[in-house]
Amino acid sequence: MTHSRPNEFIPPPECPVFEPSWEEFADPFGFINKIRPIAENTGICKIRPPPGWQPPFACDVDRLHFTPRIQRLNELEAQTRVKLNFLDQIAKFWELQGCTLKIPHVERKTLDLYVLYKLVKEEGGFDGVCKERRWTQIALKMGFAPGKAVGSHLRAHYERILYPYYLFQAGANLMNSQKPTLTNDTKDKEYKPHDLPQRQSVQPAETCSIARRAKRTKGRCFKSELGEVCEKPNLRRRMGSYVAEPVKKIPMQVKEEPIEQQVEGEKSKVEQYICLVCGGGDDEDRLLLCDGCDDSYHTFCLIPPLHDVPKGDWRCPKCLAQECGKPPVAFGFEQASRDYTLRTFGDMADSFKSDYFNMPVHMVPTELVEKEFWRLVSTIEEDVTVEYGADIASKDFGSGFPVKNGTFKVSPVEEDYLSNGWNLNNMPVLDASVLTHVTADICGMKLPWLYVGMCFSSFCWHIEDHWSYSINYLHWGEPKTWYGAPGYAAEQLENVMKSLAPELFESQPDLLHQLVTIMNPNVLMEHGVPIYRTNQCAGEFVITFPRAYHSGFNQGFNFAEAVNFCTADWMPLGRQCIQHYRSLNRYCVFSHDEMTCNIASKADSLELELASTVQKDMCAMILEEKMLREKVYKLGVWHSQQVDYDLLPDEERQCAKCRTTCYLSAITCPCIPDQLVCLYHIEDLCSCPARSYTLNYKYTLAELKPLFQALTARAESYEDWASKVNKILKADQDNKSDLEELHSLVVEAEKKSYPETDLLSHLRQVIQNADRCTSMAQQLLNGKRQTRYRSGGGKSQNQLTVEELMSFVNQLYDLPCTIRQAPFLKALLNRVEQFQQQSSDLLAEDMPGSSALQSLLDEGAGLDVELPQLVVLRQRLEQARWVEAVKEASDQPADLSLDCMRRLIDQGVGLTPHACVERTMARLQELLTVCEHWEEKAHNMLTARFVFNIETLEAAIQEVDSIPAYLPSCLQLKDCVNGAREWIMEADALQAGGRIPGLAALSELVSRARSIPVMLEPLSRLESLISEVQAWKESAAKTFLLRNSSHSLLEVLCPRCETGPQKSKSKKAKDVSVPCKKVEVKLDSLFDVEKALSTSKDTVSAMATLSEVHQKELESLSMLRTSNESKFQSSPSCLAPTVCLCHTVPAGPMLQCELCRDAYHSGCVPGFKDIQTGLPWLCPLCKRSEKPPLDKVLPLLASLQRIRVRLPEGDALRYVIERTVRWQHKVQLVSPTQHPNGKARHIPGTASSQTLVGSNSCFYMLQPCIPLNELGTELEELLVEGLLMQVTLPELQQLYSSLLNRFSPSQHSLQSSVHDHQYHIAQDRSPPHRSPPHSKGQDGIPETKKEPERLEKNSKRRLEKENMEGQHRDKIKKPKKKKPKLSKERRREEKRTTSPSNSLSDLSYSDDSEEDWSVCSAKQCQQPEGNEVNWVQCDGSCNQWFHQICVGVSAEQAENEDYICVSCAKNDLTK
């Protein structure tokens, strides 16, 4: 069964394309040898010269003319040609019987008679297929659709057309067989005449088809070297259209010889024309004469009978068998009838392509041309004929390349192309090509052939002569498409083609050597033959390798040039090719043995590689020749003669059997002197006995020996050297040589001028690699030592990776020689691997220690190798250090601040992700979140507008204590709570056991409390106490201090520490209590007194201190009085005394102080005109206060006792009252005689003028004074003490009036009325005062009793007026509010707890007198101003006063609703 070809061509894979550099391109055979391992696997390859390599086109275009070959495309393809030959035979078979073949159509397509014939034959023949009814299966195999009764049609066509031919081929007796005919009867009307090309049509003309085939081959000429026409084929040419056996032309119309011999005697002509079937001679008009043998047959005796006499030639059955049994004519290309020039051929080619594809030639895609070409060669229905100018000898018209001494003159720039190795005229005869040693100029092998192609013109499958290399260069034109198979697949390709087209190879065994047969590459590939393709463009080379089958076609008009060449590696293949030619009886182009001997004769000048190769080839030749000659001797050939075959042409020394060109020896026989045979075919020479043969030889075996020895001598040293090199290069690991030995081998090769063979190049390459490896290894070792001193720790640019180091170490050990640095690098690699293992183990841990990581990093940094683990280790080191830093910080919570945690988190964010880091980060982030929450919460607690109670803060602190971190706000909160606890303890201790705290301690405690942001329950009470104290001090100051007085309240109330006009006011010390040891306290200044009072533990010690100060006051005053009094006494000194504030002498009206006894100018004392007569006048220095009445002072002491706070002013006030009471008691004890009684009279008196001694001034006293010299000590002390008291007492007035009247009666009487008037005014302004019983009526002044309600109202009105004037100087009145029910009980309790000194006087107070007149208690008082400011009092536990506008309370709400301040509200919530 034949193979069904694919419908569409699939291009095979591309062959390799090489683009050599200029350096590689300079050595053609060196580059070809370099690419040979790659390119010989594909059979063909393409080489693109370097850019700029453009040889000039040197062919003489005007002289070039040629006759191309005619190529019918469908005759080129092997399977198509088999079909065409089959149809020729069928057509001839029926034509000889007078019928015309018409190919029927089945299912609208032409019936493939060849496939039908082969299928039926494979299925067992016509009878077998009919018997088994397999016509349907045959129809399916032929591609017809099932179910259309195609099988019956195929059977009918086969039975009519093919079955008779089958019987004829089988040798059946045609005379006795019943066969159908192809007459044009009604049964054939359904068949349309098949318009086949002329190749298949058989016309009933005068010339038969066989004559046409002979005619096509007639006139073919073969080019010899001289271009002559000869009958024998030219042995110096390409075997393109060789005919295996010459066949004489036999005309069909002429009988060559009778079939039967002439019988003795002559017969009549009528007897001669008798029917050979029936033997009768009648019906002469129905007798047919055979045009071949003149035998006669009746038309009705023939089977089948003929109705009419055929119009054309007719052959009898015997002649039919004789004609059809002739061997077919060998296929070859016809020569065109026209001679072309290059220009005319190009015009024809371009016109053909553009007409065929109906587009410009340059626009036709190569893929389209390729598919169309393979479609055309595979069809029998389309006959496309093209012409190909192939095998044009370059020596006749010139090569396309410039040659020396040629007609083409090159420019100086292009002279290099004359000797260039890629010039195809030079390549075959280069020193590296063995064809140089072939003496003859073989056209096509040593001399290039030219090829002028057109579209579809093709070169069929073939291999080069003698399996040589070939190189093709496309000078210009459209591309040439190539197909190639590698040399190892040559036999496979031949077998596939023989199996697919066996009929062609039966008649032409060397068909593939004729370049006339092509086969679709897809078919070959489907049968396992590797095929590769390429498109050769202008300026590109295509090289085919030994025994590589190749074919192809031209895409359009182009001009190419090709030549053969052979290198030393080809020598074994060349000898193998001769054996192959001998088996095919194929001509040799040259004698391989002759070439070998020619090379051996020049052994001394040969390159060693060639000498070595030829030496091996000659050795094989000598052994073969020796064996053959021994065989001949054994056959009995003893005659021999020496013949110089060099002088004989190849045609005269070819073996008559195998056509091999003989050179070393041949056998001849005297019977056929012109023939000879090789020693392989001695039996095929003639029938003579062997002893008559003669052995003709070129050399004796002894003569061949010196040639061989010369080659051996030339190649032996090289062989020894090469053997040594190969041994070293292939040595195992334990037997390697050192690098120095390889260097010595190269030195030896250079010294002995060994050629640049592949082995030497390989050795140089190995040494170069070894030297480079040695240098690199040394650099690595040096670099490893230097890295210990390298700073920066960065990666070195020359560092190798571990893979590179491992590869480099393996490369060192893979070198064919040993390198001394290899063990050190191996040790380094082991250290690296150990480091990697340690790194893997360490990194496998969850979080290794930083010290272990750092030590491993130090070790890795010293390896001087790029270790990827170093990056990971550095990352893990950063992670470990961070984790350790977090752990260390967590172990010291006191130092773990929020900033520290944020800093650690910021550091951890930049780390490479890791599970341990993530866990640590999560814990740290969680801790930071908790800390930030509590820190913010603590800060808010500390800075909140409303402070929290201590219980809330302690609960928060308990939660904070469990947080392992340093939280400043929380610690501050804790400190605040601790401070609050301490403060509360101090506050409780300050008033524990009924103690009365001092103002200094109380103020210091309250001041501390204000800096504690905790709600302190006692604070409001203590602040209220301090507020009450401040209000009390203000009230006392208004009571005692003069307007615009420079004295403080304490300074007024305390006894004077300094007396005299030069006294300086003590600076008030800070109100703090300083604990100290019990030492003697100095009381020289007010500061000392205040300090002593503040530090006193109780009232008794304070009273003692004040008594001591008072005693000093009396002593100082006594001395001052004496001193001042002495100023007015006569003195022997001439200096006048200085008095007054102005420190001048007395002059004019003067005033004398009753206390200090100093005199003052009336003009220096402000308000002297208001001086009242009868009252003691005190100077501005002695009068320090308003000296309020005692009834105003006693309420101040009572209110201070209710406040229960000790302060220096209070102690001083208590001492003032005690002094007052004691003084009153003393006054009462004075005898009545010492107290004159009577009414004073207001008599205007005049003072007498006085003149001091030593002074010209004259002065007089405006007011009389009690003389000191007339007073007793007791009365003087009593008067001085009364004048020192800062309280106005009626007893003092009475005592002073009495003494004044006693010692100055006249003046007393004059001033009595004024005194009484002033006294009663004072009585009206003062609250009622209940005197002790024993003092009643002593002063002679009747006591006035008033109602309690009236007195209470007057007292409240006065106190309110004084407070309002002294505090704000504006009208500010607090609203009246209902007092708590416990106020009276509290007052009774406070009254019971007052000191015993208060019992000295019976004081009556109203409820309103307890009102607290002070500043607003709001923390952010707005200090309102205006004519009237409204107040509100807290109804809670503090009873503090607030401006209504400061607490947001209206007047209506203050009257109708209870108001609770913020502090009381928080205390209630806390409770």
Side-chain angles (χ1 to χ4, degrees), residues 53 313 488 1010 1090 1217 1341:
W53 193 86
D313 294 341
Y488 65 84
R1010 288 171 180 169
E1090 183 178 6
I1217 294 176
I1341 299 175

Side-chain angles (χ1 to χ4, degrees), residues 739-740 743 767-781 808 812 815 817-822 825:
L739 182 58
E740 288 72 15
H743 279 288
I767 293 176
Q768 183 179 357
N769 293 338
D771 289 338
R772 186 168 60 251
C773 292
T774 302
S775 175
M776 187 178 296
Q778 191 62 43
Q779 289 178 3
L780 285 176
L781 294 176
F808 183 63
L812 292 181
L815 290 174
C817 60
T818 58
I819 294 179
R820 61 182 181 85
Q821 292 87 354
L825 289 179

Side-chain angles (χ1 to χ4, degrees), residues 1376-1432:
K1376 296 181 179 180
K1377 287 200 63 177
K1378 182 175 60 178
K1379 293 297 175 180
K1381 296 179 180 180
L1382 297 178
S1383 60
K1384 292 183 179 180
E1385 297 177 2
R1386 185 184 304 161
R1387 284 195 300 273
R1388 296 190 190 101
E1389 182 67 22
E1390 290 176 354
K1391 190 172 183 180
R1392 285 193 298 268
T1393 57
T1394 55
S1395 60
S1397 60
N1398 292 332
S1399 61
L1400 297 177
S1401 60
D1402 187 9
L1403 304 177
S1404 297
Y1405 302 99
S1406 66
D1407 292 340
D1408 292 339
S1409 64
E1410 295 178 13
E1411 292 183 3
D1412 186 10
W1413 302 98
S1414 63
V1415 298
C1416 175
S1417 298
K1419 290 186 178 181
Q1420 296 180 353
C1421 179
Q1422 300 181 11
Q1423 299 181 0
E1425 297 180 357
N1427 296 329
E1428 185 175 357
V1429 178
N1430 295 325
W1431 292 73
V1432 64

Side-chain angles (χ1 to χ4, degrees), residues 9-223:
F9 179 76
I10 301 176
E14 294 289 327
C15 72
V17 180
F18 300 97
E19 297 180 355
S21 62
W22 280 107
E23 181 180 359
E24 295 172 328
F25 198 68
D27 182 12
F29 288 129
F31 180 71
I32 293 173
N33 189 45
K34 180 179 180 180
I35 66 175
R36 178 165 55 87
I38 300 175
E40 67 182 357
N41 292 325
T42 58
I44 62 173
C45 71
K46 184 167 65 175
I47 297 177
R48 291 195 183 103
W53 193 86
Q54 296 177 352
F57 185 65
C59 185
D60 191 350
V61 178
D62 297 330
R63 290 181 56 243
L64 177 62
H65 62 91
F66 59 94
T67 302
R69 298 173 182 173
I70 297 176
Q71 294 180 334
R72 294 180 175 86
L73 298 184
N74 54 6
E75 292 183 1
L76 298 178
E77 213 277 328
Q79 294 176 288
T80 308
R81 191 192 305 164
V82 170
K83 291 185 179 181
L84 294 176
N85 289 339
F86 178 77
L87 292 176
D88 280 349
Q89 293 176 8
I90 296 295
K92 179 181 177 181
F93 173 76
W94 287 111
E95 182 205 9
L96 292 176
Q97 299 186 68
C99 298
T100 301
L101 175 64
K102 293 182 180 180
I103 301 178
H105 284 70
V106 178
E107 293 294 326
R108 296 183 180 181
K109 65 179 181 179
T110 304
L111 178 61
D112 194 338
L113 296 176
Y114 173 76
V115 174
L116 179 61
Y117 182 81
K118 295 292 288 184
L119 288 175
V120 173
K121 187 176 181 180
E122 290 174 0
E123 294 293 334
F126 177 75
D127 296 335
V129 173
C130 293
K131 183 178 180 180
E132 297 180 6
R133 298 181 180 179
R134 298 183 59 84
W135 290 106
T136 302
Q137 287 76 2
I138 290 177
L140 293 176
K141 290 181 179 181
M142 292 186 68
F144 293 105
K148 294 186 178 181
V150 178
S152 59
H153 294 294
L154 295 180
R155 174 180 177 177
H157 294 319
Y158 182 89
E159 187 175 7
R160 281 190 309 106
I161 302 173
L162 299 177
Y163 187 57
Y165 177 75
Y166 172 77
L167 294 177
F168 166 74
Q169 290 289 341
N173 187 358
L174 297 180
M175 294 303 167
N176 299 323
S177 62
Q178 191 74 19
K179 297 189 300 180
T181 62
L182 292 179
T183 56
N184 295 330
D185 54 11
T186 56
K187 293 189 297 181
D188 295 333
K189 64 181 180 180
E190 61 186 72
Y191 302 116
K192 297 179 181 179
H194 187 59
D195 189 13
L196 282 175
Q198 186 180 357
R199 171 65 180 80
Q200 288 89 347
S201 62
V202 180
Q203 302 292 340
E206 298 179 357
T207 305
C208 66
S209 63
I210 192 63
R212 180 183 64 80
R213 174 64 68 89
K215 178 180 174 182
R216 270 204 325 202
T217 58
K218 184 179 68 173
R220 276 185 295 167
C221 63
F222 306 101
K223 263 192 184 89

Side-chain angles (χ1 to χ4, degrees), residues 639 668-675 685-686 688-689 691-694:
H639 300 283
T668 59
C669 183
C671 68
I672 312 175
D674 295 337
Q675 287 190 1
L685 180 57
C686 64
C688 298
R691 59 179 177 273
S692 60
Y693 295 163
T694 300

Side-chain angles (χ1 to χ4, degrees), residues 686-707:
C686 64
S687 59
C688 298
R691 59 179 177 273
S692 60
Y693 295 163
T694 300
L695 175 63
N696 301 301
Y697 60 90
K698 170 66 177 175
Y699 300 103
T700 63
L701 294 178
E703 292 173 342
L704 289 175
K705 188 175 182 181
L707 294 175

